[in-house]
Amino acid sequence: MPTRPMLLSLGDRVRYDGREHTVAALHGTSVRLVDDAQAPSVVLLGHLLASEGFTVVSSVGPGRPPLPEEGVLEGLPEEAVTRAWWWQRHLTELLTGRSGGDPHAQVRAEYDPAVHSLRQRELTKLAELQEAGEDVGLSTLQRLRTRFENEGVTGLVDGRIRKPATGTSRADPRVMAAIEKVMDSRVEEATVSAQVLRRKVERLLAAEHGAGVVKMPSRAGFYRLLKAVSTGRHLFGSARTRRSLGKQPKRMFGQLTAGRPGEVMEIDSTPLDVLVVHDDGEVDTCELTGLVDLATRTLAAVVLRPSTKAVDAALLLARAMTPEMMRPGWPDALRLSRSVLPYASLLPLDERLAKAAAIPMIVPEMVVSDRGKAFVSDNFLNACRHLGISFQPAHPDTPTDKPHIERTLGSVATLFAQYVTGYKGRSAEMRGKGPEAQAAWSIHELQELLQEWVVAVWQTRSHDGLRDPLMPGRPLSPNEKYAALVSAAGYVPVALSAEEYVQLLPRKWRVIGSSGVRINSRIYDSRAFGPYRRQPSGAGPDGRLWEVHYDPYDISRVWVRDHRGTGWITATWRHLRTSPVPMGELVFDRAHQVLSERTRRKPQEQEVAKVAAELLDRASDGPEKPPAPRRRKGDPAVRRDRKVVARTHATSTPSWPRPEPAANESREPEHADEPEPADEEVELAKVVPLGIFDAREEAKRWR
């Protein structure tokens, strides 16, 4: 580090404005300078000291010793470090008169800056070193002194030692430019060998400069150059990692700060590396879709689906804005009342929170997502518009626009998925042997485990990105950060109403017939349908059909928009009274399949309901008590039945609000005792009888 004088005195030689000057006078805040051409100038002292390139070449007064630089020589050869510190002591004595730079040490008379000029001190030090046996010249001493003043102790080390070896210093710049172009073009391409890249560089040089104009380095030399410039770019490694690094901006990363919950939320989907049993019995992976809050890092909603659709993304918003209710089997420690969340202040706003789990309810203000089909669909955009949410799509192919959800979903994969049986690894080389045989969870069972993990682990786990500026040593958990922001910003979430939740459900257009509305082979009816049966709605695509919203995970009821009045008409499933056990879509479909296999004909709906109830009773008894003699204990059908029951129990209890039936509606539909309407008539094909094969008659035809 260069030495600087403690005081600027008359006679000091300074460098200013690219020239050397002598301090001729000091008057208040002004300095009079005279250059070597005897041209005077007056400069303000503050401007002089702050100007670029200003330095004190020599001082007639006592100088300030350089600051210690202990870490700048680490990693260099020990001999070079020892020699640098030896020169540092001598040069400090030459400049300040004090040996070792100690400000309290006595100034040696022959090196006193107040008595001797810099030239005299240099000659004295040169004579002292030569007398001690050091073969050094005056020019060498002056060069080292200048480098010490400009660079500090690092200037006393041989530049060949302290300069990092890049491996490209002697290479032709044209060859290096061609290598850079080829490497940049390989970001999206497959990984190839260095021999292929060498050929591409040769062709590029010939195309730009002509054949044979630029000499290519030897094969070994080219490999050394390629290794030197490809460090950290995964040129010969994983293509996936190379593409990910190529998407990072070549600049400083920006930072978006949210001051309240819901101000900015990010949504995204990613494949989950766990094999699960899907509804059709196939073993395959599923997609994880999550919604994370930037201010608190709360995983407000998370769902598992075979593939993310627009309705799933819209329901994700609804789940974030409704309380997460306690599920059967969850410990009391996961209740909202037992957590750090502001339970006492939020309970008067929503009585449902008395039975809610410890995860905050957050109303999004702005949602950031990529341009996936599910997130730019009309369904999702209309849901955002209806809820007053600002939708902000990310730039194409720019995952850094939503880094928090990317990192959060990655954390779910490492902190949760790896512990689940059926985990297959994130790539083929990390996959175990036969992960399909280990898949034991259905997608709905895994959804329940994931939801419990979010409440029990994620929301209570300290997050490194949630550090208080005044207490940076202790990271906060998402629940703690939410409680802190609520107390500071006065955030009060307004829960989603039941009608608004119904609006976000998937819809279909159906006729209100004599027996009600048919959705997925089930009939739903209500007393409020009386004046609307067999009547056109006056809305929709043709004015004849009625808008019906249904929950794919609760088949007990549907909601029909009252186009001639206001609000919604709640219609219950006609055979719900014959099957009092809550049934989901999966168990109904499984019962439908059982009857189809048994009778080889299209079953009646009432028979399906009875078989579904029988299936639940039979499968709930467990494998120790086979419910029917026609099913053996090891029969795969029994195992499938048990999986269906587990999935049904996981989805039968909704955690979101439902519109209450109207006062004039009965629990049973008015047409409960009427016979079932026949299904759509299908014209039967003519039966063509097949004759019996007679070999002798067939042989006569060959003659």
Side-chain angles (χ1 to χ4, degrees):
M1 183 176 180
T3 58
R4 297 290 299 274
M6 292 183 179
L7 298 174
L8 192 63
S9 307
L10 296 178
D12 287 350
R13 295 282 294 176
V14 299
R15 179 176 296 277
Y16 167 69
D17 198 18
R19 305 191 309 274
E20 289 190 4
H21 300 75
T22 301
V23 178
L26 294 171
H27 180 69
T29 59
S30 301
V31 181
R32 184 179 179 86
L33 303 176
V34 179
D35 60 9
D36 294 338
Q38 301 302 315
S41 59
V42 178
V43 185
L44 293 176
L45 180 60
H47 176 74
L48 176 67
L49 299 179
S51 62
E52 184 178 359
F54 169 76
T55 183
V56 178
V57 179
S58 62
S59 175
V60 298
R64 179 184 296 136
L67 295 175
E69 300 175 283
E70 298 295 337
V72 295
L73 301 181
E74 290 186 2
L76 299 179
E78 183 178 358
E79 181 180 355
V81 173
T82 303
R83 185 68 174 175
W85 286 120
W86 182 84
W87 272 113
Q88 188 261 356
R89 292 192 298 271
H90 284 284
L91 293 176
T92 301
E93 185 179 49
L94 184 151
L95 294 172
T96 65
R98 295 179 173 87
S99 178
D102 185 2
H104 302 288
Q106 186 177 2
V107 178
R108 293 182 61 179
E110 58 271 28
Y111 296 110
D112 190 353
V115 178
H116 303 283
S117 65
L118 179 61
R119 176 75 174 185
Q120 292 173 338
R121 284 175 280 158
E122 288 177 345
L123 294 176
T124 302
K125 177 58 69 174
L126 181 64
E128 179 184 336
L129 294 176
Q130 291 178 347
E131 184 178 352
E134 290 290 334
D135 186 13
V136 60
L138 179 60
S139 60
T140 302
L141 179 64
Q142 291 176 337
R143 185 177 68 255
L144 290 176
R145 188 260 306 168
T146 302
R147 287 168 55 180
F148 179 61
E149 290 179 323
N150 295 333
E151 305 177 34
V153 70
T154 56
L156 304 178
V157 181
D158 191 344
R160 293 170 295 180
I161 298 177
R162 59 191 175 97
K163 182 181 297 185
T166 61
T168 63
S169 56
R170 298 182 181 181
D172 192 327
R174 295 172 294 182
V175 175
M176 298 308 303
I179 293 177
E180 287 288 344
K181 289 183 180 180
V182 171
M183 285 196 307
D184 292 340
S185 66
R186 303 301 304 178
V187 173
E188 301 290 339
E189 303 295 331
T191 302
V192 296
S193 64
Q195 183 177 0
V196 176
L197 299 183
R198 175 180 170 83
R199 178 57 183 164
K200 289 183 176 295
V201 171
E202 289 179 349
R203 297 182 60 184
L204 181 60
L205 290 175
E208 292 183 350
H209 306 283
V213 176
V214 180
K215 182 180 179 181
M216 280 287 295
S218 63
R219 182 182 298 271
F222 178 80
Y223 289 169
R224 285 194 297 268
L225 293 177
L226 201 59
K227 181 180 179 181
V229 299
S230 63
T231 302
R233 301 177 65 171
H234 280 259
L235 185 62
F236 302 107
S238 170
R240 180 180 179 182
T241 304
R242 184 168 62 252
R243 289 192 298 269
S244 178
L245 294 176
K247 295 177 182 178
Q248 294 182 358
K250 306 299 187 293
R251 51 176 171 78
M252 184 180 69
F253 283 91
Q255 183 176 359
L256 179 62
T257 303
R260 59 186 179 275
E263 183 178 359
V264 179
M265 302 187 77
E266 298 174 357
I267 187 173
D268 197 13
S269 298
T270 186
L272 189 67
D273 299 325
V274 177
L275 294 175
V276 297
V277 181
H278 288 274
D279 300 346
D280 56 0
E282 294 294 330
V283 176
D284 202 352
T285 57
C286 59
E287 282 195 1
L288 170 68
T289 305
L291 179 67
V292 68
D293 175 48
L294 179 60
T296 64
R297 300 301 197 273
T298 294
L299 200 53
V302 57
V303 294
L304 297 176
R305 295 291 180 266
S307 60
T308 304
K309 299 180 180 179
V311 63
D312 299 323
L315 286 177
L316 209 65
L317 298 176
R319 297 192 65 173
M321 301 172 64
T322 53
E324 180 65 38
M325 309 307 293
M326 290 288 295
R327 311 291 176 86
W330 286 12
D332 289 342
L334 301 184
R335 290 186 176 275
L336 180 65
S337 57
R338 302 281 297 274
S339 67
V340 299
L341 296 172
Y343 171 76
S345 60
L346 295 177
L347 182 61
L349 303 176
D350 194 340
E351 296 180 355
R352 295 172 299 174
L353 297 180
K355 299 181 180 180
I359 181 171
M361 183 172 54
I362 299 178
V363 179
E365 298 180 23
M366 182 175 70
V367 173
V368 181
S369 75
D370 56 20
R371 298 175 183 267
K373 292 192 300 182
F375 305 125
V376 297
S377 63
D378 293 337
N379 194 339
F380 184 72
L381 295 180
N382 290 335
C384 292
R385 191 178 301 110
H386 172 75
L387 298 173
I389 300 173
S390 174
F391 175 72
Q392 180 63 48
H395 293 86
D397 203 23
T398 309
T400 52
D401 281 357
K402 47 181 183 58
H404 304 91
I405 185 62
E406 297 277 355
R407 187 66 183 91
T408 298
L409 296 183
S411 298
V412 173
T414 56
L415 300 177
F416 172 75
Q418 292 184 5
Y419 294 91
V420 179
T421 179
Y423 177 71
K424 68 180 185 65
R426 62 183 181 183
S427 59
E429 61 264 23
M430 296 183 180
R431 178 173 297 189
K433 183 179 180 180
E436 296 82 3
Q438 301 177 1
W441 298 107
S442 70
I443 187 172
H444 298 282
E445 291 172 331
L446 190 60
Q447 171 74 49
E448 285 298 304
L449 292 176
L450 176 60
Q451 192 64 40
E452 185 177 1
W453 177 85
V454 170
V455 178
V457 179
W458 181 263
Q459 291 298 124
T460 60
R461 178 177 176 268
S462 298
H463 197 289
D464 192 62
L466 300 177
R467 294 183 181 270
D468 191 284
L470 301 180
M471 297 183 298
R474 183 180 182 275
L476 302 177
S477 68
N479 282 352
E480 291 173 340
K481 186 66 174 181
Y482 180 87
L485 290 181
V486 166
S487 61
Y491 177 79
V492 178
V494 179
L496 193 67
S497 67
E499 288 73 15
E500 290 174 324
Y501 186 88
V502 171
Q503 184 68 32
L504 295 177
L505 295 176
R507 66 178 180 179
K508 289 186 178 181
W509 292 91
R510 289 293 185 269
V511 173
I512 300 181
S514 301
S515 57
V517 175
R518 181 183 292 270
I519 295 289
N520 295 337
S521 301
R522 290 178 294 273
I523 296 178
Y524 297 85
D525 204 354
S526 171
R527 291 188 180 276
F529 284 167
Y532 303 145
R533 300 183 191 277
R534 300 181 302 276
Q535 298 296 319
S537 65
D542 57 0
R544 187 175 62 91
L545 305 179
W546 295 75
E547 182 182 353
V548 182
H549 286 229
Y550 68 99
D551 190 338
Y553 311 106
D554 181 13
I555 64 173
S556 63
R557 64 196 65 196
V558 297
W559 295 268
V560 180
R561 185 185 294 275
D562 189 353
H563 294 287
R564 299 185 182 181
T566 58
W568 299 86
I569 300 174
T570 303
T572 57
W573 184 27
R574 290 191 56 182
H575 296 289
L576 189 62
R577 61 183 178 86
T578 64
S579 301
V581 181
M583 299 201 325
E585 180 87 26
L586 301 173
V587 69
F588 186 90
D589 292 342
R590 175 61 182 144
H592 199 285
Q593 179 183 357
V594 168
L595 273 183
S596 298
E597 294 176 353
R598 182 189 302 171
T599 62
R600 298 298 179 182
R601 62 180 176 83
K602 187 175 182 180
Q604 294 295 324
E605 186 178 352
Q606 191 170 5
E607 295 178 7
V608 172
K610 292 180 179 179
V611 173
E614 178 187 355
L615 185 151
L616 285 174
D617 296 336
R618 183 171 67 253
S620 63
D621 291 337
E624 293 81 7
K625 298 178 180 180
R630 62 178 179 273
R631 299 287 196 187
R632 297 190 304 273
K633 182 176 180 180
D635 196 333
V638 176
R639 292 196 297 270
R640 289 197 299 269
D641 294 346
R642 291 200 301 270
K643 293 178 181 178
V644 169
V645 172
R647 293 196 294 267
T648 299
H649 288 323
T651 59
S652 60
T653 304
S655 59
W656 43 82
R658 291 289 188 270
E660 295 295 335
N664 59 350
E665 293 185 17
S666 174
R667 292 295 180 181
E668 296 184 5
E670 61 178 342
H671 297 280
D673 298 329
E674 293 185 3
E676 286 298 316
D679 294 322
E680 297 179 3
E681 296 183 359
V682 180
E683 182 180 356
L684 299 179
K686 295 182 180 180
V687 178
V688 180
L690 298 178
I692 300 176
F693 178 77
D694 190 341
R696 295 183 178 180
E697 293 294 331
E698 187 69 19
K700 294 178 181 180
R701 299 179 184 178
W702 295 349
R703 295 176 182 175

